[in-house]
Amino acid sequence: MSGHILILFVSVLVAVSAVLSALGFKGRVEVIGVDLGTTYSVAAVSEKGRVRVFEDPVRGKLTASTVAFLQDGGVLVGNAAKRHALKDPKNVIYDAKRFIGRKYDDPTVAEQAKKYAFAVVENTTTHDAAFRVHGRTIAPAEVGAEVVKALLKTVNEDLGHENVKRAVIAVPASFGAAQTAATGEAFKAAGLRVARVMPEPVAAAVAYGLHKKENVHHILVFDFGGGTLDVSILYVQKGSIEVVANGGDNDLGGTDFDGCIADDLTKQVNAVASSTDCDDFVTTEPCEPHVLQQLAEEMKVQVSSVDTVQRKCAARTKKGCEELELTLTKQRFEKTCAHLFQRALKTVDDTLTNGMLTKKDVDEVVLVGGTSRVPHMRELLRKSIGVSKLNLEIDPDVTVAVGAASILD
């Protein structure tokens, strides 16, 4: 009799599991991997040995690390916040990762603050760098917390439960204790406990399984994101990975290429326009600096896959208010921004030198960050290092999150 009961119980359990699976139940995942990036943020999960990146129905896999603080106390996160910046740039914060965990009197804070429309101020209690929005002082960790909350909301909706309470997080190899702690505070404020902290380059190498690959000793991780360039040299031994050299350029990222293109677009506008005071067109934005910056970002992405990109903005010329057609070719992009490409290559050379290594010591190269997908940058790097191929099969925007989630296996 007991045998029949056991068989019946197992049959019922299998049937229930099948029903739950059909309903989309994915199990009680409690830990996720998160990359809280300078420009974009990503969350991923490991399910039965396979890593999956969470995808929001609206934002997609990437959530812009941009937060708009509204007058009524509400917030907008992601692309909605970026759109809000067009009409209220002083109360929309982005690139908060550049300031997190830094004291206000840090020389880099004053230098970075010059780049933004929002106000960078001192938290009079902690003396840390902070932001002023609608008369309130907002810490960089609070900005990060809003981004993590948005990611967690997508995670909960995807999994069908709210059991996720911990996260494996990745931070730049250059982060000190204060910056890492402040990043942890952002997750805590969003309702997640930090289960483990990984250096971002290590997470990237783990994503490709290079720590398990034979005859691999030195890995160069080229992390070219929206706000910074980080170059790390990893040493692999018996499955463990150690960061042996780290370099970077905190003032070089995708936004700098956007700025380079925006400067070129500005020259095109100034060549024929006397003023950007032009609101005759309903659907065409005026050629204001913030509009050109946004157009530059869009054109940079598109010119990676086509030879010529064109956009329009409105300005006042001798003929009156007109729609101007702005053009960017692949060749013009590579020539105009050549100095930025060379700065990136010099950072690689300097990092190898500081680690007392040569390019011949590099066994594998891993690409991370959205700017690393620029074809010209990839080819320049490949030729400079002298490798036959680069590790680029994983979307460079999600590689770090994939690695953070992979460690959960």
Side-chain angles (χ1 to χ4, degrees):
M1 178 66 71
S2 60
H4 291 298
I5 294 175
L6 179 60
I7 292 173
L8 178 61
F9 175 75
V10 172
S11 299
V12 171
L13 186 61
V14 170
V16 170
S17 297
V19 171
L20 290 175
S21 178
L23 291 174
F25 183 75
K26 300 179 177 66
R28 293 300 184 186
V29 175
E30 296 181 352
V31 189
I32 56 174
V34 180
D35 175 17
L36 181 59
T38 305
T39 311
Y40 290 99
S41 296
V42 186
V45 64
S46 178
E47 298 172 318
K48 298 180 180 179
R50 298 186 63 181
V51 175
R52 180 171 63 89
V53 176
F54 290 101
E55 188 166 357
D56 186 86
V58 177
R59 299 190 305 271
K61 293 180 179 179
L62 306 179
T63 295
S65 303
T66 304
V67 179
F69 292 88
L70 308 181
Q71 185 70 52
D72 62 4
V75 298
L76 298 173
V77 178
N79 289 334
K82 294 176 74 173
R83 289 191 294 270
H84 188 78
L86 293 175
K87 59 181 179 181
D88 188 19
K90 292 184 178 181
N91 294 300
V92 178
I93 311 298
Y94 58 97
D95 289 359
K97 191 172 178 178
R98 289 180 184 252
F99 301 94
I100 197 165
R102 292 187 182 276
K103 294 298 181 183
Y104 181 71
D105 61 3
D106 185 324
T108 62
V109 169
E111 189 63 32
Q112 293 291 342
K114 298 175 184 177
K115 300 179 179 181
Y116 303 101
F118 53 79
V120 179
V121 299
E122 181 179 11
N123 183 316
T124 56
T125 301
T126 63
H127 303 294
D128 291 335
F131 311 112
R132 180 62 51 81
V133 294
H134 296 300
R136 295 186 293 141
T137 300
I138 302 291
E142 293 180 68
V143 178
E146 295 298 339
V147 177
V148 176
K149 286 177 185 177
L151 292 175
L152 187 57
K153 183 175 183 292
T154 298
V155 169
N156 291 340
E157 291 175 352
D158 180 288
L159 296 175
H161 63 73
E162 298 183 1
N163 281 20
V164 174
K165 301 298 180 185
R166 296 182 297 154
V168 174
I169 70 171
V171 299
S174 60
F175 262 23
Q179 292 164 294
T180 300
T183 303
E185 286 300 314
F187 281 83
K188 182 179 178 181
L192 287 175
R193 184 164 62 87
V194 176
R196 179 172 177 175
V197 179
M198 296 179 70
E200 289 175 0
V202 171
V206 168
Y208 280 98
L210 296 180
H211 58 307
K212 300 176 182 178
K213 189 174 180 179
E214 291 185 0
N215 300 319
V216 172
H217 302 292
H218 290 102
I219 303 169
L220 187 148
V221 179
F222 185 79
D223 187 349
F224 209 176
T228 60
L229 168 63
D230 294 302
V231 179
S232 301
I233 311 298
L234 312 180
Y235 179 65
V236 183
Q237 185 177 35
K238 296 180 180 179
S240 65
I241 306 179
E242 177 186 2
V243 181
V244 294
N246 188 64
D249 189 330
N250 291 328
D251 296 317
L252 182 62
T255 55
D256 297 286
F257 282 87
D258 298 342
C260 173
I261 296 172
D263 288 344
D264 185 65
L265 298 181
T266 301
K267 291 178 182 178
Q268 292 184 47
V269 172
N270 291 341
V272 295
S274 58
S275 168
T276 58
D277 182 18
C278 176
D279 56 4
D280 292 10
F281 298 94
V282 176
T283 58
T284 305
E285 295 280 356
C287 301
E288 297 286 354
H290 63 277
V291 173
L292 294 180
Q293 188 75 16
Q294 187 169 7
L295 292 179
E297 182 181 0
E298 296 172 1
M299 296 172 84
K300 177 192 69 178
V301 172
Q302 291 197 331
V303 84
S304 292
S305 56
V306 298
D307 290 331
T308 304
V309 179
Q310 293 180 322
R311 285 289 188 276
K312 291 182 179 180
C313 65
R316 191 167 296 281
T317 69
K318 293 179 180 179
K319 298 178 181 179
C321 196
E322 287 190 279
E323 282 186 325
L324 304 184
E325 194 167 77
L326 308 176
T327 302
L328 179 69
T329 64
K330 184 173 294 186
Q331 184 178 20
R332 183 166 182 154
F333 168 51
E334 294 171 1
K335 182 179 180 180
T336 302
C337 303
H339 61 293
L340 299 179
F341 288 112
Q342 291 305 313
R343 272 177 63 182
L345 293 179
K346 184 178 184 303
T347 301
V348 171
D349 292 341
D350 291 346
T351 304
L352 285 167
T353 299
N354 293 339
M356 294 182 288
L357 296 166
T358 68
K359 294 175 181 177
K360 291 182 179 179
D361 293 316
V362 178
D363 300 306
E364 298 279 351
V365 178
V366 176
L367 299 186
V368 183
T371 309
S372 73
R373 60 163 46 92
V374 175
H376 188 56
M377 185 73 260
R378 289 181 172 183
E379 188 58 16
L380 287 175
L381 179 64
R382 188 191 66 78
K383 289 182 177 179
S384 177
I385 300 296
V387 293
S388 59
K389 65 180 287 293
L390 307 170
N391 287 283
L392 44 72
E393 292 80 9
I394 301 173
D395 181 345
D397 282 318
V398 306
T399 305
V400 170
V402 168
S406 297
I407 208 70
L408 299 171
D409 291 339

